[in-house]
Structures are given as C-alpha cells and as structure tokens.
C-alpha cells in the first residue's frame, strides 16, 4: 500500500537534511490561501485584535481544531479550501490549513519531511494492522517567527516546558494536530522518554519550501489507486 517511490528499507535510515531552505508565503495548489474560505477564517481570527504572530497562529490552531473535524483523510495534496468546505480533515490536512493561514498573514512556512513507521498508528487500528502502510510520509510544518524557524511542536512553547505530563500515544481521539497544544511532540529525542517519538522516524527527508514540494519529491503514503479506494470511506471516519 505504500507509494512505489518508497521502497522498503531493512533498517532505519537517516537522510542528510537540507538546511538552506527559505520557505515562503506564496499560495500553492495545496496552500491556496487566496480562497475566500481561508480569508474568512483569518478575518474571524483578526476580530480578536491579536497582533503578535505566535498568538495569531495559536488562535488559528484552536479555531481549526474546533471547526475542522479530525478524520482519516488519505489525500495529503487536498487543497486547504476543500478541507474547510468539507469541515473535516486528516492531521496533515488540518496542519495545511494552519500553514495557509500563516502564509496569508505574511508568515513564512516550510515543512520537514519525515518517514514514520506505520506501526506508530497501530493503537488506532487494533484489528487492521495488515492494512496500515509500512511507512508514512509526514509533512511537519515550521513557521518563521521572531527571526527563527519554530516547529509546529514548539508553537505553544519550548519542548522542555511541554514535556511535563503524558506524551502523545496515538490512541483515542487526540491527533498530532491537537497534541501540540498540550505536550511535546519530539521527533528528535531531545526530551523525556514519554514524549520521545524519534524511534518512530525511519528517515529524515529534509526541509522543503512547501508541502507541495515534499509530496512532489517523495510521493504520498498511498499510491493513487489505493487512495481512490480508501479515501471516500476513511475521510468520513472520525479520528
């Protein structure tokens, strides 16, 4: 069920990461922030009179969490405008909404590509392990705030402060999108054992100016025929 661009590896592999990536503010086929649905969302956020860029993104994250129902959508290249129109989206699709809002507000974004072990999602599908892809391509956003790049993991604060309490277990109703508000989502193993997700990372695919570029280079987790079959059903199933 994995893309033909992602052949199986026998052991974890780390890819040299591209550090010199500028990111951008432009609209893309996925991050189509010029659509009225995105602009209306931003107008609603701005009515609160928030000036600080980080606070604006936190407000946007909370609004998306409340308005866009979490489901298991399979199309990572779905435009943000479609996600908002449907009122539901996967973790990746909801993250894309946050990126689109950032770009529309003049905040540069980029993504880090991670290849994550499919077994990470086993707790969500206890009777469907055979159907879960062995590797999942994950676009993890970063935002240019106060002159430096801030990972989505650190939007609500630094990882050291967020690591108190229970880490993300990938079980129950909470998704990665929701988890960043309360706990450290640590892909690099720099925090406590309960928040350390580095063992789930099979490869670091590097930085990309947009999620469009990541998926163009590495494909999506599922090939097109598999997405065509699975997406109509899974995109309605609540996470």
């Amino acid at each position: 069920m994995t893309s033909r661009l992602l052949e199986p590896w026998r052991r974890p592999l780390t890819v040299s990461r591209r550090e010199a990536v500028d990111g951008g503010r432009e609209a893309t086929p996925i991050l189509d922030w010029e659509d009225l649905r995105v602009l209306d969302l931003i107008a609603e956020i701005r009515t609160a009179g928030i000036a600080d860029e980080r606070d604006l993104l936190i407000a946007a994250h909370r609004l998306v969490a409340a308005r866009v129902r979490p489901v298991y959508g399979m199309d990572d290249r779905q435009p943000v405008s479609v996600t908002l129109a449907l009122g539901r989206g996967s973790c990746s699709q909801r993250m894309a909404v946050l990126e689109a809002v950032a770009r529309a507000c003049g905040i540069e974004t980029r993504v880090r590509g991670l290849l994550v072990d499919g077994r990470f999602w086993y707790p969500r599908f206890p009777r469907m392990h055979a159907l879960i892809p062995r590797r999942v391509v994950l676009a993890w956003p970063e935002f240019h705030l106060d002159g430096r790049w801030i990972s989505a993991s650190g939007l609500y604060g630094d990882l050291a402060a967020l690591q108190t309490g229970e880490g993300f277990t990938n079980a129950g109703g909470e998704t990665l999108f929701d988890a960043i508000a309360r706990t450290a989502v640590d892909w690099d193993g720099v925090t406590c054992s309960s928040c350390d997700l580095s063992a789930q990372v099979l490869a670091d695919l590097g930085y990309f100016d947009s999620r469009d570029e990541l998926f163009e280079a590495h494909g999506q987790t599922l090939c097109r025929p598999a997405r065509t079959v699975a997406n109509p059903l899974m995109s309605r199933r609540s996470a």
Side-chain angles (χ1 to χ4, degrees):
M1 292 177 64
T2 53
S3 166
R4 63 183 179 82
L5 296 177
L6 301 175
E7 295 299 329
W9 289 316
R10 295 185 180 277
R11 59 184 177 81
L13 175 66
T14 299
V15 177
S16 296
R17 291 166 55 188
R18 302 185 301 155
E19 297 293 346
V21 169
D22 296 328
R25 303 186 185 99
E26 300 83 2
T28 70
I30 300 175
L31 308 175
D32 59 342
W33 61 258
E34 295 168 329
D35 186 271
L36 285 177
R37 293 179 183 86
V38 182
L39 297 179
D40 286 346
L41 186 70
I42 294 167
E44 183 173 351
I45 296 167
R46 289 199 181 280
T47 58
I50 300 171
D52 181 79
E53 290 183 335
R54 184 191 289 262
D55 289 343
L56 186 149
L57 290 181
I58 289 174
H61 179 268
R62 289 171 174 164
L63 188 57
V64 173
R67 296 280 181 82
V68 183
R69 180 168 63 90
V71 295
Y72 295 108
M74 300 294 175
D75 185 5
D76 286 325
R77 302 187 78 160
Q78 176 172 288
V80 163
S81 59
V82 174
T83 301
L84 290 175
L86 293 172
R88 61 179 187 267
S90 67
C91 181
S92 178
Q93 291 163 350
R94 295 163 91 205
M95 283 290 189
V97 175
L98 187 60
E99 290 172 64
V101 169
R103 289 191 173 212
C105 293
I107 302 169
E108 294 173 336
T109 76
R110 67 183 185 184
V111 297
R112 179 183 176 188
L114 299 171
L115 198 64
V116 180
D117 192 330
R119 290 174 292 185
F120 182 49
W121 280 266
Y122 276 10
R124 292 190 176 274
F125 303 95
R127 299 180 181 179
M128 301 173 64
H129 292 181
L131 299 179
I132 297 176
R134 288 171 294 176
R135 298 165 300 281
V136 174
V137 181
L138 181 67
W140 197 247
E142 297 193 354
F143 308 92
H144 200 248
L145 300 171
D146 300 322
R148 63 193 182 101
W149 287 103
I150 303 295
S151 167
S153 302
L155 186 60
Y156 282 80
D158 62 76
L159 293 185
L162 289 169
Q163 70 180 358
T164 58
E166 184 183 356
F168 178 69
T169 61
N170 213 359
E174 185 180 57
T175 70
L176 281 168
F177 179 88
D178 302 302
I180 63 172
R182 68 157 190 89
T183 188
V185 178
D186 176 13
W187 300 111
D188 296 296
V190 298
T191 62
C192 61
S193 57
S194 64
C195 297
D196 180 5
L197 301 178
S198 61
Q200 309 295 335
V201 178
L202 299 175
D204 187 335
L205 302 175
Y207 289 114
F208 297 82
D209 288 326
S210 69
R211 61 179 51 233
D212 301 66
E213 290 192 7
L214 167 64
F215 295 126
E216 181 66 28
H218 292 280
Q220 298 190 53
T221 299
L222 297 182
C223 62
R224 184 185 295 274
R227 290 198 309 273
T228 300
V229 172
N231 194 57
L233 175 63
M234 300 303 291
S235 65
R236 295 178 179 275
R237 176 172 174 172
S238 296

